[in-house]
Amino acid sequence: MYKQFPAMAFREESEDPRFRELLDMLLEQRRTNPERVRRLVEACLGEEMGERYGLSWSGKQKALREGLQPPTGRLVPVSEKSVRPERTENRIIEGDNLEVLKLLEPELSGQVKMIYIDPPYNTGHRYIYKDSWRERGSRGRHARETDGADAVDRRHAGWLNMMYPRLILASRLLRPDGMIFVSIDDHEVHRLRLLMDEVFGEERFLATIIWQKVYSPRMDARGFSADHDYILVYGGPEARVNRLPFRQNRSQFGKVDDAGRPYRRRSLRKEGSHSLRSDAPGFFFPLTAPDGTKVWPVKPDGTEGCWRWTREKYERELAAGNVEWVKGEKGWQPYAKQYMNPDATRPPTTIWMHREAGHNHEASEELAELLGPRVFDSPKPVRLIRRMLQIATTGEDDLVLDFFAGSGTTAQAVLEQNLEDGGKRRFILVQLPEPTGLDPFPTISDLTAERVRRVIRRMEEQGIGEEPGFRFERWCGDAP
Ligand SMILES: C[S@@+](CC[C@H](N)C(=O)[O-])C[C@H]1O[C@@H](n2cnc3c(N)ncnc32)[C@H](O)[C@@H]1O
């Protein structure tokens, strides 16, 4: 039995009743990976289990328990706020994401292909939504010299206690080939990284992306003007990072073949690192030039180098017309012909400049176009989330979840990406009904739904897309 479910063995080994109890709570949810269960429980009780590496803060155990408690309440459909609810699997759910995620778990466990969240950053600023977990009078990110360890702990513990159970629930919804992207800035990035290592596993880390969120510095900044946010990316054990479309620069393809196709030449002799004969002895052999002479891969300074290809590959490419011999001052040299490729792709990089991924001002304009100016603080640009969709989803009917939905940018990104590539991705957004003080949308969840409604209406007016819709649901605390 222990072989089948090894976490049970850890339970037997432990004399700590709290360890046993937490394990029991986790093990009740049979789908949970036993190794992960052990890691979570050990990390949670870390302080009492002797000195060990990990992130510890006050309230951690309580937060884990909170995440493991059974769900309360239920989700109630609200038809008058929905659009074509009978014909869609898109959902906007109003409520606290902790309760909503618990309610979604039985239905969506292991089903979600991509999660994007943009949680409050704990900046201490006054936004339309709560963005501070610190005590009154605390001076934001900058610790006071008089602050003791307790005050520093309290400043971050509230935020960690909020994030921890939600990330645990999120990890259970992710497909084995799924990916989670989390936006954050310097206030909490280092704590979030450790937290995600703990919840998802250090080995599941894929990247920390730097996104250039502004196109010019803030001239009124005191000290540094922050140009970027971070996006932490973790993936399931089978996650695959899709390559991105890549437009090659026409000016780099200065040659044209007989069929009129642009190409460029690349030396067949390897250059740069690992380009010596001793690095690849099998790639040191003579090739026959057009005048019958033998040419060896020798560098201009006389050092023995190596070819890029095996002899077999050279013969194949030569026969296919992809090799060009050029006679220079030092004799004949072979080159590979590289053709321009309209479908070229490249791996995503870890620095996303505003020109390709959008910026904060663009995001505010996109929202203003739909709902009017200044209705929401710090939305993200649609292009930013579309880039994540390109990297993590395949364009089939992948499910995309955003449980800190804000103004609903993720829904717009999904709808627009589907429009572009014919995908049938579905979205689930979760948003708390925090009051906005704005007449047309009294709560943020009203605003979320209204944005998505207007995106859909705009598509209808333009006669594009397949008439998408969404079901609006509300978390309701009373018994059914
Ligand atoms: C930074 S904003 C997200 C902005 C969003 N990415 C966009 O482009 O508009 C964070 C959002 O999370 C919401 N939120 C905070 N705590 C929540 C909770 N417990 N459940 C659901 N939503 C929550 C806030 O109301 C806020 O709208």
Side-chain angles (χ1 to χ4, degrees), residues 44-144:
C44 199
L45 298 176
E47 319 91 283
E48 285 91 7
M49 295 179 70
E51 288 181 15
R52 53 185 310 135
Y53 171 81
L55 181 63
S56 143
W57 70 88
S58 51
K60 187 173 182 182
Q61 260 190 65
K62 189 164 163 262
L64 178 60
R65 281 165 204 277
E66 210 185 345
L68 298 175
Q69 295 299 333
T72 61
R74 64 202 163 102
L75 298 180
V76 180
V78 184
S79 54
E80 65 276 17
K81 286 182 160 254
S82 307
V83 177
R84 287 186 274 272
E86 68 295 343
R87 283 174 36 194
T88 181
E89 289 182 51
N90 296 327
R91 297 161 78 175
I92 299 181
I93 305 174
E94 178 182 277
D96 184 328
N97 49 23
L98 185 66
E99 291 309 322
V100 174
L101 289 176
K102 284 184 194 174
L103 285 168
L104 291 177
E105 217 245 284
E107 176 193 348
L108 295 184
S109 175
Q111 302 287 315
V112 179
K113 187 69 189 292
M114 175 181 139
I115 299 177
Y116 170 61
I117 52 168
D118 178 17
Y121 288 0
N122 202 11
T123 62
H125 294 146
R126 274 176 181 276
Y127 287 140
I128 194 167
Y129 53 87
K130 174 181 168 183
D131 197 28
S132 177
W133 274 262
R134 44 180 64 91
E135 295 146 81
R136 251 188 231 150
S138 166
R139 293 189 313 146
R141 166 151 61 105
H142 308 287
R144 287 176 292 194

Side-chain angles (χ1 to χ4, degrees), residues 93-98 100 116-121 127-131 133 162 166 183 363 367 376-381 385 402-410 430-434 444-445 447-448 451:
I93 305 174
E94 178 182 277
D96 184 328
N97 49 23
L98 185 66
V100 174
Y116 170 61
I117 52 168
D118 178 17
Y121 288 0
Y127 287 140
I128 194 167
Y129 53 87
K130 174 181 168 183
D131 197 28
W133 274 262
M162 185 275 290
R166 289 166 173 82
S183 280
L367 188 56
F376 188 79
D377 300 309
S378 63
K380 292 291 185 281
I385 303 174
D402 179 347
F403 55 88
F404 286 99
S407 67
T409 315
T410 299
V430 185
Q431 173 57 45
L432 203 59
E434 287 190 80
I444 301 184
S445 41
L447 187 150
T448 319
R451 175 187 192 160

Side-chain angles (χ1 to χ4, degrees), residues 209-226:
I209 292 160
I210 288 176
W211 166 54
Q212 188 190 25
K213 62 182 176 180
V214 293
Y215 51 79
S216 64
R218 283 189 54 169
M219 300 313 270
D220 60 350
R222 280 190 285 154
F224 291 93
S225 168

